[in-house]
């Protein structure tokens, strides 16, 4: 049964509104750093303000008042949110994809919710969203585990409260950005009741994995790049965690060595950029929302890496001169 045109239009309007709201949020988050990067003496104060908000841990300037800061160990809150939110989106959209779409059938069962365009392309879009959320789930789960078992934050390590709120924003907006184009119709699917769109087929995990294996080369290449960045970030985080294996080392800072630390000062940030580049490629590279997500990741981590690199140079006279901040031979 087809939805009346007015209902289809409402779904289209909801989808457009949701997409533009998420995009506007990313643009609002990106603009301050872009403005602060403009070489103009009149923007010096704004530049310092943005840097102050971005600093955390060892590069946070010590002040007499810590009124607007929080312990850096609160980073774990981001990953709890990320796991909970990504899991909810993944479970809901995966069930929706399994119950309402098929990459092997010539007949579409999406007529109740699809508002136009190619049904085949729509089915691919739904399963691509599932695929991207699976990768995101792998990332946030590892970060959550690391926050408890790998990182040993100094008791004095702090972060700005606005930086803390930015973390909450990121781990809310990032998973949503990977599936925002289909989120409204999934919401309709839930609101109207699953039974209206489903057959008697029970959810089967093995069967639900088959469509993920039928996606294109973009997804395979993107996943390979994602896993490359993921593995290097895991190694770099393990190196950082090993620098504070004993209680006496908690307040000490040591030059890290190994893996990508031999070429850049913040390889864990570089690895994160690589894995989000993998997500971008796996998405097909046509979604503006995911490009904005990637842009935010690049500029935010580049800013933090630059501050970290300058801190290392000030802190250690024997700091390796061959290391760049984050991009080999570039910055």
């Amino acid at each position: 049964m087809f939805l009346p045109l007015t209902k289809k239009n409402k779904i289209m309007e909801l989808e457009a509104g949701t997409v533009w709201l998420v995009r506007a949020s990313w643009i609002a988050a990106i603009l301050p750093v872009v403005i602060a990067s403009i070489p103009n003496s009149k923007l010096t104060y704004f530049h310092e303000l943005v840097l102050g908000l971005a600093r955390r841990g060892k590069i946070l300037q010590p002040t007499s008042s810590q009124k607007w800061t929080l312990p850096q160990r609160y980073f774990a809150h981001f990953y709890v949110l990320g796991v909970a939110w990504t899991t909810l989106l993944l479970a809901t959209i995966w069930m929706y994809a399994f119950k309402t779409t098929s990459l092997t059938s010539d007949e579409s069962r999406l007529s109740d919710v699809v508002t136009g365009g190619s049904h085949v392309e729509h089915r691919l879009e739904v399963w691509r969203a599932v695929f991207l959320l699976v990768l995101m789930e792998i990332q946030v789960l590892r970060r959550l585990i690391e926050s408890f078992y790998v990182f040993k934050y100094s008791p004095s390590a702090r972060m700005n409260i606005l930086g803390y709120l930015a973390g909450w924003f990121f781990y809310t907006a990032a998973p949503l950005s990977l599936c925002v184009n289909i989120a409204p119709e999934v919401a309709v699917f839930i609101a109207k009741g699953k039974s209206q769109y489903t057959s008697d087929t029970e959810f089967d995990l093995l069967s639900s994995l088959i469509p993920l294996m039928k996606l294109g080369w973009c997804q395979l290449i993107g996943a390979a790049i994602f896993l490359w960045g993921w593995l290097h970030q895991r190694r770099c985080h393990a190196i950082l965690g090993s620098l504070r294996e004993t209680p006496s080392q908690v307040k000490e800072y040591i030059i890290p060595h190994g893996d990508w630390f031999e070429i850049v000062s913040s390889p864990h940030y570089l690895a994160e950029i690589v894995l989000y580049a993998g997500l971008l490629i796996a998405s097909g590279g046509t979604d503006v929302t995911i490009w904005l997500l990637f842009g935010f990741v690049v500029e935010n981590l580049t800013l933090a890496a630059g501050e970290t690199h300058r801190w290392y140079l000030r802190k250690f006279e024997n700091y390796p001169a061959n290391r760049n901040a984050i991009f080999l031979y570039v910055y």
Side-chain angles (χ1 to χ4, degrees):
M1 182 179 71
F2 289 88
L3 282 174
L5 186 59
T6 54
K7 291 187 178 181
K8 291 184 179 181
N9 290 338
K10 287 181 180 179
I11 295 175
M12 292 179 66
E13 291 173 1
L14 179 60
E15 178 180 325
T18 304
V19 169
W20 281 107
L21 177 62
V22 174
R23 290 179 181 177
S25 299
W26 285 124
I27 292 171
I30 290 170
L31 274 180
V33 178
V34 173
I35 295 171
S37 301
I38 298 173
N40 189 316
S41 58
K42 295 181 180 180
L43 296 173
T44 301
Y45 175 78
F46 186 76
H47 175 78
E48 290 301 318
L49 177 62
V50 171
L51 285 179
L53 296 178
R55 293 186 180 109
R56 55 180 179 267
K58 58 181 176 288
I59 62 174
L60 181 64
Q61 296 292 332
T63 59
S64 57
S65 173
Q66 296 184 336
K67 183 178 180 181
W68 301 107
T69 65
L70 294 168
Q72 195 178 5
R73 67 177 183 274
Y74 283 12
F75 260 56
H77 298 176
F78 306 156
Y79 309 129
V80 171
L81 170 66
V83 169
W85 180 227
T86 304
T87 301
L88 176 62
L89 289 173
L90 175 59
T92 304
I93 294 175
W94 201 337
M95 179 65 73
Y96 169 77
F98 178 76
K99 293 291 187 178
T100 65
T101 69
S102 170
L103 292 178
T104 58
S105 174
D106 293 331
E107 297 296 325
S108 172
R109 287 182 288 154
L110 288 168
S111 56
D112 288 337
V113 292
V114 174
T115 57
S118 167
H119 287 193
V120 174
E121 177 56 32
H122 183 272
R123 292 196 292 270
L124 288 169
E125 183 179 22
V126 172
W127 282 104
R128 275 197 298 265
V130 174
F131 188 75
L132 294 175
L133 287 170
V134 168
L135 296 180
M136 189 69 178
E137 183 84 344
I138 293 171
Q139 171 67 356
V140 293
L141 276 172
R142 196 202 79 238
R143 296 302 301 273
L144 178 62
I145 292 170
E146 288 175 341
S147 68
F148 289 110
Y149 298 106
V150 175
F151 289 116
K152 304 170 181 67
Y153 295 112
S154 168
S156 61
R158 312 284 293 183
M159 61 177 164
N160 189 282
I161 192 169
L162 290 181
Y164 176 76
L165 295 175
W168 278 83
F169 161 75
F170 180 82
Y171 282 100
T172 300
L176 181 60
S177 297
L178 302 177
C179 61
V180 68
N181 291 323
I182 61 170
E185 66 193 55
V186 176
V188 171
F189 167 73
I190 296 171
K192 294 182 72 67
K194 299 176 183 179
S195 60
Q196 295 190 34
Y197 299 103
T198 64
S199 64
D200 294 333
T201 305
E202 293 296 326
F203 181 80
D204 178 69
L205 180 60
L206 183 60
S207 298
S208 70
L209 289 173
I210 294 175
L212 297 178
M213 306 304 171
K214 295 181 178 292
L215 296 173
W217 284 104
C218 279
Q219 285 69 54
L220 293 176
I221 294 171
I225 293 173
F226 171 90
L227 291 174
W228 181 47
W230 188 93
L231 287 170
H232 278 285
Q233 188 176 63
R234 175 180 171 275
R235 292 171 186 169
C236 292
H237 283 169
I239 291 170
L240 288 173
S242 69
L243 300 179
R244 294 180 176 179
E245 289 182 337
T246 64
S248 61
Q249 295 175 311
V250 169
K251 294 185 179 182
E252 295 181 6
Y253 290 104
I254 304 170
I255 299 175
H257 290 278
D259 203 72
W260 286 355
F261 274 109
E262 301 305 322
I263 56 175
V264 295
S265 294
S266 298
H268 49 313
Y269 293 161
L270 174 58
E272 184 139 350
I273 290 174
V274 169
L275 66 87
Y276 275 97
L279 284 174
L280 176 62
I281 293 170
S283 74
T286 60
D287 193 329
V288 174
T289 307
I290 299 179
W291 273 103
L292 290 171
L293 161 61
F294 180 66
F296 176 84
V297 169
V298 172
E299 72 157 17
N300 183 57
L301 296 182
T302 301
L303 179 69
E307 286 294 289
T308 300
H309 185 66
R310 287 185 284 272
W311 183 89
Y312 276 128
L313 293 174
R314 291 193 302 267
K315 178 72 174 178
F316 302 103
E317 294 181 359
N318 61 336
Y319 192 71
N322 65 309
R323 293 188 190 180
N324 290 97
I326 186 168
F327 300 116
L328 185 62
Y329 304 126
V330 177
Y331 176 70

